[in-house]
Amino acid sequence: MEFLVGLVPVVVFLILLTFLKKSAMFSAYASLVVAIILNFVMPGWRMPIQGVFASIIEGFATAWMPIGFVVFAALFAYDLSVKTGKIETIKSMLGSISTDKRAQALILAWGFGGFIEGIAGYGTAVAIPAAIMVSLGFTPLNAALICLIANSTPTAFGTVGLPVTTMITNFNLNPGETAFYTSLLLLVLTCIIPFILVIMANKEIDGGKNAAFGRGILPVVIASIIGYLTQPFIAKTMGAELPTILSSLFAMILMIVATKIFIKEDKNAQANNKGQAVTGKDAFMAWIPYILMIILIIGTSPVVEAVHKALEPTTTQFNFAFGHEAAWFKDGGDPRVTFKWILAPAAPLFVATVIAGFIQGVKPKVMAETLKETILSKLPSVIVIMGIVALSVVMKHSGMIGSIAKGFAATGKFFPFISPFLGTIGTFVTGSDLASNLLFGGVQVKLGGNDALKALYIAAGTGGATGGKMISPQNIAIAASTVGLMGKEGDMLKFTVKYSIAYAAVLGILTFIGAGMLH
């Protein structure tokens, strides 16, 4: 009974957003109210009013740090590049690679987006590529949808592998084995997604009248797959920190080479897009914010251990229950919330943008004005995210998430197939692969009979969580706000949900087969 009732806030959110066409803000806060009411109705939960208020405040705080700050920092970089005109240089460079929208979608959303996900995450891999794609002439809705579908498999090892490394640490799992299983489960989907992106991008060319896979695009698709096929090797030999960063970089390089060799350019489109020749200095000045982002994010990540350890004291923890968690919260977990003031991507993104601005000769007043405009324009999106995260925290601390997990655990021998769906639901509710793993990782590990099965179930949950990114209201809100389509979140969700379900089902079948081999 608790299992079904626990799903009600999620179902209410889906119905309001998708079928009743309510705004994301109304849907999020209405679902939060439903969750609070159910908390007091069900005997097994009944978190006291102090716990409810503490959960809401915790949700609001974590919505701002790191999610909100990352959104502002990433879009500040883009908005400043628009104001300085540097985005036109990037547009010209990408146009010089190819005017083919299919190749642009693969290079930007699948390659560049995967790379940004690997080093930053938290919505930047949707926000930055989608904004650039719109500037290249993609329709806003299609650009957002392409980036949402693309922001799937790379997120397993997003933010320098954080979703996987956290589970390895928390449950003392084998690092290489867990990362390897995760990359293997996602391998099939990694080979399928580029084809879907090409079909979607083909709609931008003469209304999709021509064959999607003609005119030299297949070698580019194959190049992208070859690049990402390096993930299992990287995961097995280097662990979970670098698979997405390195494989996406390889994929981008290979796709650019394949595009130059095999794509036959439309001469008319090429002439219209030719613009001014880009010098090496112009290119450097345009890309310097992103170059600095990569340097600072990798430089402060666990990859550079000395710097990372030196900055660890800037990370703080806070208990929103003020030591009363035993009486206020029902989930029995660690009530402390970690705030990474420097080590989260927001600080490196912001610092990189400011330093790049000075290098480009932008006046401090212009940067300040741009930042103000960015914050004011994206504030409604962050308010939506606050409601969604507050909903997830209330569900977690009240015991609703635990009840949902127990319901799935009762599936017995069919659990391997269900395992990825837990991750999908977790990311849908929380908007984060990491948060999903933290919510359901204990269930996955508990149901694993041996170390190999524990690693497999964590991998399955992580994989399922990556499919949940494309239906996550937080991710959709970021995409909508980036391309100027606030209010269209329901349409986006209706489109992506079918892919997310199929995605989790494929992972479920693979996990079921894998579990049979490991028993």
Side-chain angles (χ1 to χ4, degrees):
M1 181 65 177
E2 284 186 356
F3 167 68
L4 295 175
V5 176
L7 289 172
V8 169
V10 178
V11 173
V12 167
F13 187 91
L14 276 170
I15 292 172
L16 288 173
L17 190 62
T18 308
F19 298 105
L20 299 182
K21 301 288 185 180
K22 299 296 182 182
S23 69
M25 189 174 297
F26 178 85
S27 301
Y29 286 95
S31 301
L32 174 60
V33 171
V34 169
I36 292 169
I37 293 170
L38 291 176
N39 166 71
F40 292 112
V41 169
M42 296 300 291
W45 302 330
R46 291 189 179 169
M47 179 170 59
I49 192 68
Q50 301 98 315
V52 171
F53 279 118
S55 298
I56 292 172
I57 294 169
E58 179 184 328
F60 287 171
T62 51
W64 275 93
M65 181 66 196
I67 302 168
F69 287 171
V70 170
V71 171
F72 289 140
L75 292 175
F76 171 47
Y78 174 74
D79 289 346
L80 191 61
S81 70
V82 171
K83 184 159 283 191
T84 59
K86 301 301 180 185
I87 192 65
E88 293 302 318
T89 304
I90 293 174
K91 178 179 174 181
S92 295
M93 291 179 67
L94 291 170
S96 69
I97 294 171
S98 177
T99 58
D100 191 301
K101 290 288 188 288
R102 302 165 302 167
Q104 289 175 347
L106 287 173
I107 292 168
L108 274 169
W110 189 229
F112 185 52
F115 185 73
I116 295 173
E117 180 64 38
I119 61 174
Y122 294 104
T124 53
V126 171
I128 293 174
I132 296 175
M133 286 169 68
V134 170
S135 76
L136 289 170
F138 281 79
T139 56
L141 181 60
N142 203 30
L145 292 173
I146 287 170
C147 289
L148 285 170
I149 298 296
N151 189 226
S152 49
T153 58
T155 65
F157 301 104
T159 320
V160 200
L162 200 59
V164 179
T165 56
T166 302
M167 293 297 97
I168 290 169
T169 302
N170 286 3
F171 300 109
N172 196 27
L173 302 173
N174 182 290
E177 189 175 56
T178 307
F180 183 61
Y181 286 161
T182 303
S183 62
L184 279 184
L185 283 177
L186 293 170
L187 212 55
V188 172
L189 292 163
T190 300
C191 295
I192 294 172
I193 287 173
F195 289 96
I196 297 172
L197 300 180
V198 167
I199 293 170
M200 294 173 69
N202 192 55
K203 297 175 184 176
E204 302 283 344
I205 306 172
D206 296 327
K209 294 176 184 177
N210 299 315
F213 295 101
R215 297 156 289 156
I217 196 63
L218 273 177
V220 184
V221 173
I222 293 168
S224 77
I225 292 171
I226 291 171
Y228 275 109
L229 283 179
T230 59
Q231 272 203 1
F233 172 76
I234 298 167
K236 188 71 174 176
T237 56
M238 301 182 189
E241 287 85 1
L242 294 175
T244 288
I245 294 174
L246 294 182
S247 64
S248 60
L249 185 60
F250 295 150
M252 267 196 294
I253 294 169
L254 292 174
M255 283 190 287
I256 291 171
V257 172
T259 297
K260 285 294 188 182
I261 295 173
F262 295 103
I263 293 287
K264 295 179 180 179
E265 296 295 338
D266 184 325
K267 291 183 179 179
N268 292 329
Q270 203 168 25
N272 292 335
N273 200 69
K274 191 173 182 182
Q276 219 173 8
V278 177
T279 65
K281 181 181 178 181
D282 289 339
F284 175 77
M285 285 297 190
W287 284 98
I288 187 64
Y290 303 107
I291 294 170
L292 289 176
M293 285 178 195
I294 293 165
I295 293 171
L296 291 178
I297 290 171
I298 293 179
T300 56
S301 75
V303 174
V304 184
E305 191 175 354
V307 176
H308 186 80
K309 281 189 174 180
L311 291 173
E312 278 182 348
T314 64
T315 297
T316 60
Q317 290 185 323
F318 190 80
N319 181 355
F320 287 88
F322 300 100
H324 300 290
E325 58 273 5
W328 290 7
F329 296 158
K330 298 293 183 180
D331 59 327
D334 188 345
R336 293 173 298 175
V337 178
T338 300
F339 293 97
K340 296 183 177 182
W341 301 104
I342 301 296
L343 294 177
L349 290 176
F350 181 76
V351 171
T353 302
V354 172
I355 293 174
F358 282 119
I359 293 173
Q360 293 169 338
V362 182
K363 294 180 180 179
K365 183 180 178 181
V366 174
M367 284 193 273
E369 288 173 351
T370 305
L371 179 59
K372 180 182 176 182
E373 291 167 6
T374 301
I375 292 172
L376 291 176
S377 65
K378 304 309 174 189
L379 192 57
S381 296
V382 175
I383 293 172
V384 170
I385 293 169
M386 288 168 64
I388 295 166
V389 179
L391 169 64
S392 71
V393 176
V394 168
M395 290 182 68
K396 181 179 82 168
H397 287 323
S398 66
M400 289 184 202
I401 293 290
S403 297
I404 294 171
K406 287 176 183 176
F408 279 112
T411 55
K413 65 179 181 180
F414 294 105
F415 180 75
F417 178 78
I418 300 295
S419 177
F421 285 91
L422 271 181
T424 302
I425 291 172
T427 305
F428 171 78
V429 174
T430 66
S432 162
D433 289 36
L434 173 60
S436 177
N437 277 357
L438 289 171
L439 287 175
F440 294 123
V443 175
Q444 306 277 15
V445 169
K446 188 176 181 180
L447 293 174
N450 54 55
D451 288 345
L453 273 177
K454 289 176 182 178
L456 177 66
Y457 289 165
I458 286 293
T462 303
T466 66
K469 289 288 283 187
M470 65 181 75
I471 59 170
S472 159
Q474 290 182 29
N475 225 27
I476 289 174
I478 290 167
S481 64
T482 301
V483 300
L485 289 176
M486 290 293 288
K488 294 289 184 181
E489 293 89 350
D491 293 335
M492 292 183 188
L493 179 57
K494 189 178 289 186
F495 179 86
T496 57
V497 69
K498 57 180 178 288
Y499 289 104
S500 182
I501 293 170
Y503 188 105
V506 170
L507 287 174
I509 293 168
L510 294 173
T511 306
F512 189 84
I513 294 170
M517 296 170 65
L518 292 174
H519 263 300

